[in-house]
Amino acid sequence: MTIEIIPAIDLLDGSCVRLLHGDFDKCKVYDLDALRLANQYASDGAEWLHVVDLAASRDGEDADIRPLLRLLEKAPQSVQTGGGVRNDKDIGIRLDQGASRVVIGSISVNQPGCFAAWLKDFGADKLVAALDVRLDEDGIPWPRTHGWTQGSTRNLWQLLDYYSEMGLVHLLCTDIGRDGAMTGPNVDLYREITQRYPGLKLQASGGVSGLNDLRELAATGADSAITGKALLEGCFSVAEARQFLR
């Protein structure tokens, strides 16, 4: 079974960064130009790019999203982008600027009716539900929002039961405990998602540290794997990953 590699770029004030467990106080800045990095990933064979605008997440309506919009306009591959998307205007701006898909986090957790309406208005192929989860002591995954500081009244399975009826196509799921830690992905979680909801196109995120992790993710039935830090740290390249998975 194959899996698509989607490199991730986190933008903060125009710089490429990575956060550990989403914590702005644990931020590593990379001396890399985002567009140059996007071009490198494209030349290595990445047909998609995942871009998170951390400034929009942090600053809300006051955020300077010009670095994101420049990247959307010039990136050579298809781009999906999230971070700070709070209304239909935010979605429209990103799509109009060249984004192929817009990733919705907090709204998809806290206002499922609103997100379901957007699926209808914009088209299910244009939106991604980004559900960042933390497992409780019973192993039940619960979505978290607002920098992972707030919980949800519905667990992951309850939300996906609803969204599978509303026509959701693209799901990005991150195990918070694995994100940015390079400790290996939660393959059991992703396998359960694909078994419960075979109609969803799952993007697995969090914990990838080496090529064997990608092979394990492919075996879960996930359609794609999002990886950021492992690429930035030189653990492997997109080209090496594609060759390995062949």
Side-chain angles (χ1 to χ4, degrees):
M1 187 172 292
T2 60
I3 191 168
E4 183 173 20
I5 309 302
I6 302 182
I9 292 178
D10 288 357
L11 278 179
L12 182 61
D13 302 326
S15 298
C16 293
V17 306
R18 289 301 290 173
L19 306 184
L20 179 61
H21 302 315
D23 189 342
F24 281 93
D25 293 328
K26 298 177 181 177
C27 176
K28 181 173 182 178
V29 179
Y30 293 86
D31 186 21
L32 296 166
D33 178 77
L35 181 58
R36 188 176 304 148
L37 191 58
N39 281 318
Q40 178 61 55
Y41 289 150
S43 67
D44 279 352
E47 297 179 359
W48 279 87
L49 185 68
H50 177 76
V51 180
V52 180
D53 188 353
L54 292 173
S57 296
R58 181 192 62 192
D59 301 333
E61 293 181 357
D62 297 327
D64 180 4
I65 66 170
R66 286 175 296 179
L68 170 67
L69 299 183
R70 284 195 296 269
L71 183 57
L72 291 177
E73 182 181 12
K74 296 182 178 181
Q77 65 274 83
S78 299
V79 180
Q80 64 176 34
T81 183
V85 178
R86 295 171 174 81
N87 52 54
D88 53 1
K89 180 182 176 182
D90 292 335
I91 297 172
I93 289 172
R94 286 153 176 79
L95 291 176
D96 290 344
Q97 196 66 22
S100 296
R101 295 193 293 244
V102 177
V103 181
I104 314 294
S106 297
I107 298 294
S108 68
V109 175
N110 297 327
Q111 301 179 48
C114 178
F115 181 70
W118 290 346
L119 288 173
K120 182 178 179 180
D121 292 343
F122 290 97
D125 202 46
K126 294 293 186 182
L127 300 180
V128 182
L131 304 180
D132 300 340
V133 301
R134 191 183 299 280
L135 276 62
D136 66 16
E137 57 187 17
D138 295 319
I140 304 297
W142 290 87
R144 306 283 298 181
T145 62
H146 297 83
W148 301 339
T149 61
Q150 297 182 20
S152 167
T153 58
R154 303 190 195 190
N155 64 41
L156 178 65
W157 312 130
Q158 292 168 330
L159 269 178
L160 291 183
D161 284 346
Y162 172 74
Y163 282 138
S164 62
E165 295 180 356
M166 295 295 106
L168 179 68
V169 173
H170 299 286
L171 168 66
L172 191 167
C173 187
T174 303
D175 180 345
I176 292 169
R178 310 292 181 104
D179 186 66
M182 295 175 62
T183 55
N186 189 340
V187 293
D188 291 336
L189 172 64
Y190 301 130
R191 185 177 293 110
E192 185 167 2
I193 292 173
T194 60
Q195 289 174 348
R196 285 181 181 239
Y197 310 98
L200 290 181
K201 294 183 178 180
L202 173 63
Q203 303 175 16
S205 172
V208 171
S209 61
L211 294 173
N212 285 327
D213 292 331
L214 298 176
R215 177 181 286 159
E216 291 188 1
L217 285 175
T220 68
D223 287 85
S224 53
I226 294 178
T227 178
K229 190 173 183 180
L231 292 173
L232 291 171
E233 296 288 339
C235 298
F236 55 83
S237 68
V238 172
E240 289 170 340
R242 284 165 52 84
Q243 179 63 34
F244 176 80
L245 291 169
R246 290 196 191 102

